[in-house]
Amino acid sequence: MIFPTLDLRGKTPLLLLSGLALTTSGCISSDPTSDRSNVEALVHPRLGEVINLDVVNASPVAPPSDWNGSGPLDADTAVRVAFQRDAGIRTSLAKLDLARAELAQADLPPNPALDLAFGFAVDGISGAPAIIGVTQQLTWIWTRPDRVDARDADRRAMILLAAASMISLDANVRRSHAAAIAADATHLLDQAHAEATRRTVDAVTRLFEAGEASKIDLDRARLDAAESAAAADASRRTARQMKLAVLAVIGCPDGSTDFKLQGSLATSGGSVPDEQRIIELTRVARLDVAAARMRVLAAEAECRLAGSKRFPEVGVGAAWNKNFGDRKAVLPGARITLPILDDGSAAIAAANARLDGAQLEFLSIRRRAVGEVRSSREAFLRSDQQRIAYSESVLTPATEAEVLAEAAYREGVIDLTVLLLAQKRRITAERRLVSYQFATISDRIALQEQVGGSFDLPAMPPVVPDIDQTTATAEAPNTPARASSLDPEIPS
């Protein structure tokens, strides 16, 4: 048996093929640092400088650096703690890292295949005891732009969704903090009402002992005081429950509720934009709508990629051969897979169906977003008008009526029923005012979230920069995606 000796002289085709595989390898990095910077660039104009996005790279189980768990907690501090502790936004960033890795993978060529064979003489005649060959698939060269376009669109969508998750977290924390402030304010009102009814019981008791009030009046006052005390105890529990909700949303569910809430229900930030401006921002600047548009672009690229299945797949190779007569040969060759049995029609139909689905999903998300934002704007205007009306037209007269009723009852001008009714009207008005103040703040937060995070955004699509490598395609390939009946409704 003759063992071959490896000799690379005269094997230029083999070396050229190996060099082709090396020089055309992908150079899009899988490092997600630039993509995370793009997320920061989208978030900061919407949330302001209150948020330090560097903390999302830290461990979510580390103690928060901005709050010790027992000090006063305002809304901005609560948001900062949530960004330090929240697992949801880190999940979104992990999905972004995955999308970046898949983009880098799409840019890589397939590995060349190396074939080795050694023969043994069994019949005493010449044969081919040694064969070394390498084969490289070339179809990826002209399908690469579509693959990169599809994965890059996915990457852009994940950047937008990661930024949207941060905006949603900010809104949820501020809404939860406002709900806790409202519950605390309601508890203070109920405590004050319970104290007022207790004082009424004391006054009626003195009048009863002096023979100026009946036993029925005393029993009625005691009943009203007992109801007020029960309401105060229930609102105390509700206030604690709302604190627990705040702790949960900022990522500290096992924290103590022995902290003070800082903030008020006063409305700030000026008026909201008109309806046309709100609709325009929602259609253009809202991040989940823009992400849905990226999904359409990814589906279009997949359609173009599916269209390439109609053409043969090509691979080239070269082999080195040595026979028993010690003669050597270099054998260049090619492998062509003809689309005969699988002509690509099924793949094209599936890609077209996915494109239709992506376009319909985009249309549905955008329509739903516009409907939600218009409804939220009306809800804000309604609650804001109710807040103003109760503050100016209901609460002040109710408070004055209660003061006059107390004085009139002591003078014997009215009976106890009128006094108790005046007290209930005043506490009801104050409770409703608190609920309208909270509704105003909550609806405003929801409205800002639904337009993209801020009313001051320009009415233009959010900018997601191109991939940071020269191998990215600047233009789509010449093979067009299948036209859709929804194209006129979906702007580029």
Side-chain angles (χ1 to χ4, degrees):
M1 182 177 62
I2 302 175
F3 292 95
T5 302
L6 185 61
D7 182 6
L8 297 180
R9 291 175 298 175
K11 301 172 182 59
T12 304
L14 184 61
L15 294 176
L16 288 177
L17 190 59
S18 301
L20 175 66
L22 292 174
T23 57
T24 55
S25 60
C27 55
I28 296 179
S29 172
S30 59
D31 183 5
T33 303
S34 61
D35 292 333
R36 294 195 174 210
S37 298
N38 292 334
V39 174
E40 292 188 28
L42 288 171
V43 170
H44 274 307
R46 290 166 166 78
L47 300 185
E49 298 301 325
V50 175
I51 308 303
N52 178 17
L53 293 182
D54 292 337
V55 298
V56 301
N57 296 318
S59 172
V61 299
S65 59
D66 289 79
W67 187 53
N68 60 9
S70 59
L73 184 66
D74 58 52
D76 289 341
T77 302
V79 170
R80 288 195 294 270
V81 172
F83 271 72
Q84 288 180 278
R85 302 274 296 178
D86 186 70
I89 58 176
R90 287 168 170 79
T91 301
S92 297
L93 291 174
K95 292 179 180 179
L96 171 59
D97 297 347
L98 174 61
R100 178 71 183 208
E102 290 177 343
L103 170 61
Q105 182 66 53
D107 186 50
L108 293 174
N111 292 318
L114 183 63
D115 300 320
L116 300 175
F118 297 95
F120 299 90
V122 295
D123 58 359
I125 62 175
S126 297
I131 299 175
I132 300 176
V134 62
T135 304
Q136 177 65 51
Q137 194 245 57
L138 296 183
T139 304
W140 66 270
I141 295 177
W142 50 84
T143 59
R144 174 193 162 278
D146 295 329
R147 290 197 315 273
V148 170
D149 285 345
R151 300 291 76 80
D152 187 45
D154 289 338
R155 177 192 68 95
R156 294 180 185 222
M158 291 313 306
I159 289 175
L160 294 165
L161 292 178
S165 70
M166 295 181 180
I167 292 172
S168 295
L169 177 63
D170 176 86
N172 290 336
V173 171
R174 294 185 184 278
R175 193 158 36 237
S176 181
H177 187 273
I181 292 287
D184 199 41
T186 301
H187 173 52
L188 293 177
L189 289 175
D190 288 343
Q191 276 187 321
H193 182 57
E195 180 63 24
T197 55
R198 188 191 62 78
R199 291 195 304 269
T200 300
V201 170
D202 293 341
V204 175
T205 300
R206 288 192 297 269
L207 292 173
F208 175 75
E209 291 173 350
E212 298 178 3
S214 66
K215 184 67 167 57
I216 294 177
D217 287 342
L218 180 59
D219 291 341
R220 188 181 302 167
R222 287 175 176 172
L223 177 60
D224 193 68
E227 290 178 349
S228 299
D233 185 66
S235 64
R236 178 179 63 84
R237 290 291 180 183
T238 301
R240 187 175 187 275
Q241 181 184 2
M242 291 299 101
K243 279 189 174 182
L244 292 173
V246 172
L247 290 173
V249 79
I250 66 175
C252 304
D254 54 349
S256 171
T257 57
D258 296 332
F259 63 90
K260 298 293 183 182
L261 291 164
Q262 278 190 342
S264 68
L265 296 176
T267 306
S268 59
S271 60
V272 301
D274 59 55
E275 189 172 66
Q276 187 59 39
R277 164 76 173 167
I278 289 292
I279 293 175
E280 187 177 15
L281 284 176
T282 303
R283 290 172 60 93
V284 177
R286 183 162 156 162
L287 296 178
D288 60 340
V289 175
R293 176 57 181 157
M294 290 297 106
R295 298 298 190 196
V296 174
L297 297 181
E300 289 175 350
E302 293 287 356
C303 270
R304 296 192 298 268
L305 186 61
S308 65
K309 291 183 176 294
R310 291 186 177 276
F311 305 103
E313 293 184 1
V314 179
V316 297
W320 174 80
N321 183 5
K322 179 180 179 181
N323 66 9
F324 283 102
D326 202 26
R327 299 192 63 182
K328 306 176 183 64
V330 174
L331 307 174
R335 173 180 292 179
I336 301 176
T337 302
L338 299 177
I340 298 176
L341 301 179
D342 180 5
D343 61 355
S345 58
I348 293 173
N352 287 337
R354 284 191 288 268
L355 174 60
D356 283 344
Q359 290 179 325
L360 290 170
E361 180 67 14
F362 170 55
L363 186 62
S364 176
I365 289 175
R366 193 176 62 183
R367 286 176 174 176
R368 183 169 62 249
V370 172
E372 288 175 352
V373 78
R374 295 183 71 186
S375 178
S376 292
R377 185 175 182 274
E378 287 302 315
F380 168 77
L381 295 176
R382 180 191 62 208
S383 56
D384 194 42
Q385 290 173 355
Q386 289 173 323
R387 175 186 63 84
I388 295 172
Y390 260 77
S391 178
E392 297 177 353
S393 306
V394 178
L395 180 58
T396 300
T399 304
E400 294 174 352
E402 181 186 14
V403 173
L404 293 175
E406 287 180 353
Y409 179 74
R410 290 191 183 95
E411 295 174 1
V413 178
I414 61 174
D415 62 12
L416 183 62
T417 302
V418 178
L419 173 60
L420 296 179
L421 182 59
Q423 289 177 339
K424 287 184 178 180
R425 284 177 176 173
R426 193 266 305 169
I427 189 62
T428 299
E430 287 189 332
R431 276 175 150 273
R432 286 184 177 176
L433 177 60
V434 169
S435 67
Y436 292 145
Q437 287 174 329
F438 167 65
T440 300
I441 294 176
S442 179
D443 291 338
R444 184 183 181 88
I445 292 172
L447 192 58
Q448 283 183 310
E449 178 188 6
Q450 289 168 359
V451 300
S454 173
F455 297 138
D456 299 326
L457 294 171
M460 58 186 298
V463 177
V464 180
D466 293 335
I467 51 179
D468 53 357
Q469 305 294 340
T470 56
T471 52
T473 54
E475 297 180 358
N478 293 329
T479 306
R482 183 180 61 85
S484 170
S485 60
L486 294 178
D487 285 343
E489 281 197 77
I490 302 180
S492 299

